[in-house]
Amino acid sequence: KAGVTQTPRYLIKTRGQQVTLSCSPISGHRSVSWYQQTPGQGLQFLFEYFSETQRNKGNFPGRFSGRQFSNSRSEMNVSTLELGDSALYLCASSLSFPRSPQAFFGQGTRLTVV
Amino acid sequence: ELKVEQNPLFLSMQEGKNYTIYCNYSTTSDRLYWYRQDPGKSLESLFVLLSNGAVKQEGRLMASLDTKARLSTLHITAAVHDLSATYFCASLSFGNEKLTFGTGTRLTIIP
């Protein structure tokens, strides 16, 4: 059974640019959540999608957005990148996260903004 | 707003010793998760604790949940080097679909 796939794994962008990250959940999973991990702020919830609908959103500026497609694949977009957006972005897949017993995390996309 | 606190932040222990990581959360929680993260890697799910008094064990790790005290513990028995990693607890509050993570405990096992 394939795991959660995040692409790309590494990304270097310049301030002011925008970036799109992709997450393919485990087959049959309909919920995808996104988290940002930084040394200073730790793991912070960005948003969660279920059946193409955003159910929850964390405390991030509007520059951070996402969407989910009918095949449950999800993308997140960050516009007008800032140095502070440098982080490891993780997505989690579950049948209906987090109320399912278990969620599976992808390997993450490490974004560096210069 | 739900807050989750872990302690200690850093833990260096010798192989063969026992120790406990503590996870306190500020409001009533629906469930409690423990994850492991190796350097540069993703999060690996260890335990999901669903009810008061729940205890789960896997190898040298045992997790428990006391919802009245709003406390979960991760106990390490006879530590081995392979357990070196960062451990996170995360809580889910009622009526909320997002996990709130603790700060993490960086565990280093010294031979």
Side-chain angles (χ1 to χ4, degrees), chain A residues 9 33 35 37 43-45 48 55-59 88 90 96-103 105-108 110, chain B residues 1 30-31 33 35 37 40-46 48 50 88 92-103:
Chain A
R9 291 290 310 280
S33 299
Y35 290 82
Q37 186 176 25
L43 278 153
Q44 292 185 291
F45 172 80
E48 187 249 348
R55 293 199 295 191
N56 288 279
K57 190 176 192 303
N59 296 324
L88 179 67
L90 294 166
S96 180
F97 187 71
R99 299 203 172 273
S100 292
Q102 193 169 21
F105 281 82
Q107 291 294 96
R110 186 165 295 280
Chain B
E1 182 183 334
D30 191 17
R31 57 190 62 189
Y33 295 77
Y35 290 93
Q37 187 177 40
K41 304 290 186 179
S42 188
L43 295 170
E44 175 190 353
S45 178
L46 295 175
V48 180
L50 302 179
F88 292 92
L92 173 69
S93 56
F94 287 111
N96 197 322
E97 296 293 326
K98 64 182 183 183
L99 284 180
T100 300
F101 281 86
T103 50

Side-chain angles (χ1 to χ4, degrees), chain A residues 43-58:
Chain A
L43 278 153
Q44 292 185 291
F45 172 80
L46 280 157
F47 24 67
E48 187 249 348
Y49 287 88
F50 181 81
S51 293
E52 302 178 66
T53 300
Q54 185 183 87
R55 293 199 295 191
N56 288 279
K57 190 176 192 303

Side-chain angles (χ1 to χ4, degrees), chain A residues 58-102:
Chain A
N59 296 324
F60 280 81
R63 300 185 297 107
F64 291 81
S65 63
R67 58 178 175 170
Q68 186 179 35
F69 302 95
S70 58
N71 63 357
S72 294
R73 189 178 71 85
S74 178
E75 289 181 345
M76 69 163 281
N77 183 276
V78 187
S79 63
T80 319
L81 284 165
E82 301 177 358
L83 295 178
D85 297 333
S86 295
L88 179 67
Y89 290 87
L90 294 166
C91 80
S93 153
S94 80
L95 289 170
S96 180
F97 187 71
R99 299 203 172 273
S100 292
Q102 193 169 21

Side-chain angles (χ1 to χ4, degrees), chain A residues 30-45:
Chain A
R30 297 167 64 189
S31 172
V32 174
S33 299
W34 289 89
Y35 290 82
Q36 181 196 63
Q37 186 176 25
T38 61
Q41 299 299 317
L43 278 153
Q44 292 185 291
F45 172 80

